[in-house]
Amino acid sequence: MDFSFTPEQEDLRREARAFLGANPSPSMEQLAELGWVGILKSDDFTFLDAAVIFEELGRSLYDGPYVLNEIAAQPGDDVWSIEIDGFVPHLEQVTRVLTADMESAGASGETLATVDETLGLGRLSRNGTVRAEGTWDDVRRRALAAFALEAVGIGSMVTGMALEYVGGREQFGKKIGSYQAISHSLVDAYVAVELARSLAYWAAWSVASNDERVDLAVAAAKSQAAEAAVLACEKSIQAHGGIGFTWEHPLHRYYKRALWLEGALGYGREHRAHIADAILARQA
């Protein structure tokens, strides 16, 4: 099996990077111009095509997130977000929040009905959400693969930012990137992100091809990619020194997004436990 992108997909990647670079928070209409349909599945647009865009969305710090929701087809309908360890992305834009114990609470704090997992998965925006097609299992697989790809984009971006900074910053007459404490740290981040990239492409291929190992693929990709993105953000912040810890620097936004992706639809330990159970079941 070949997980590499076709020349047409590489062209799409370049177009997406240029487009998203000029539109850090693109609208659904703008993304539609690229043929991006989120986690939706259509006859003429495979998940491998979507993989290109998801990765580029991570690089461009797409404001997301993908959320469990009731379909907000009309103004005034409910729009949902997810609470991850006390952090609710875009709380000011949502009317209800899905908490970790699967109970929903309104933005004002009142307790509402439990959310049904069969509800659609959409993308939070000021204009509502987009319905995802298929069963919850199908949607969940596509979402996990999408999270992994976005995390790869984040990890790649912040690692590149760190390499550029340490290649220009001087201390004691030398580029700080020449010191092993920094160079080895960034190598660790790079290796983790590149491993995640391979797994994320495998997950995208598995989803697009409906491979029998798709559940293992998306679990492996999500667990590795999200943790790699968090690691890369932390290493990049450290490499940037004092400026990396400032509110004005964009690194904290990538870091928050990586932390959200790490917790969304299960932390890495949960997915690795699923993988272990599947392997042990095959050997039994």
Side-chain angles (χ1 to χ4, degrees):
M1 60 186 70
D2 184 7
F3 299 142
S4 63
F5 288 120
T6 65
E8 292 77 10
Q9 289 170 328
E10 290 293 353
D11 289 340
L12 178 60
R13 178 192 294 273
R14 285 189 290 271
E15 293 173 7
R17 186 166 296 175
F19 178 85
L20 294 171
N23 299 273
S25 297
S27 66
M28 275 298 294
E29 292 75 15
Q30 290 172 322
L31 290 172
E33 296 176 8
L34 294 174
W36 184 72
V37 289
I39 60 167
L40 302 183
K41 203 170 186 180
S42 63
D43 294 335
D44 58 351
F45 194 80
T46 71
F47 199 85
L48 282 173
D49 295 314
V52 174
I53 308 300
F54 279 122
E55 186 178 340
E56 297 310 317
L57 288 173
R59 288 180 59 90
S60 68
L61 198 64
Y62 172 61
D63 59 1
Y66 306 95
V67 297
L68 291 165
N69 66 93
E70 291 181 342
I71 303 306
Q74 302 295 329
D77 286 352
D78 289 321
V79 178
W80 298 79
S81 185
I82 304 177
E83 177 268 327
I84 302 294
D85 288 348
F87 175 61
V88 181
H90 301 277
L91 177 62
E92 72 282 358
Q93 297 180 23
V94 301
T95 56
R96 300 189 183 184
V97 176
L98 181 66
T99 62
D101 59 2
M102 296 302 290
E103 290 185 348
S104 57
S108 61
E110 72 272 23
T111 301
L112 303 173
T114 299
V115 175
D116 184 353
E117 283 190 345
T118 60
L119 292 177
L121 186 82
R123 186 166 54 81
L124 181 63
S125 73
R126 293 180 177 85
N127 298 320
T129 54
V130 177
R131 181 186 294 273
E133 299 175 347
T135 65
W136 167 249
D137 287 339
D138 292 334
V139 170
R140 183 176 180 275
R141 293 182 187 110
R142 298 202 298 272
L144 287 173
F147 291 159
L149 288 157
E150 188 176 352
V152 167
I154 290 174
S156 178
M157 183 65 178
V158 299
T159 301
M161 292 168 65
L163 291 174
E164 181 179 4
Y165 181 79
V166 302
R169 178 79 164 87
E170 291 189 5
Q171 190 69 35
F172 305 116
K174 293 183 179 180
K175 305 290 186 183
I176 63 174
S178 65
Y179 295 107
Q180 290 185 349
I182 293 179
S183 61
H184 288 190
S185 178
L186 295 182
V187 166
D188 290 341
Y190 175 80
V191 170
V193 171
E194 290 307 303
L195 174 58
R197 190 189 308 278
S198 298
L199 290 171
Y201 290 170
W202 175 38
W205 176 86
S206 297
V207 170
S209 304
N210 196 26
D211 185 70
E212 63 180 6
R213 297 176 298 172
V214 62
D215 288 321
L216 292 179
V218 297
K222 167 59 167 58
S223 61
Q224 172 65 26
E227 292 181 354
V230 171
L231 174 68
C233 286
E234 292 174 347
K235 298 297 186 182
S236 184
I237 290 172
Q238 292 172 351
H240 277 80
I243 191 175
F245 290 85
T246 62
W247 192 256
E248 291 78 7
H249 199 279
L251 272 172
H252 74 93
R253 298 182 64 211
Y254 285 99
Y255 189 35
K256 290 174 184 175
R257 182 65 176 160
L259 289 172
W260 187 90
L261 288 169
E262 184 182 31
L265 295 183
Y267 284 91
R269 59 181 177 272
E270 301 173 54
H271 294 293
R272 287 190 289 271
H274 169 71
I275 294 171
D277 289 342
I279 293 175
L280 292 175
R282 288 186 178 184
Q283 295 177 344

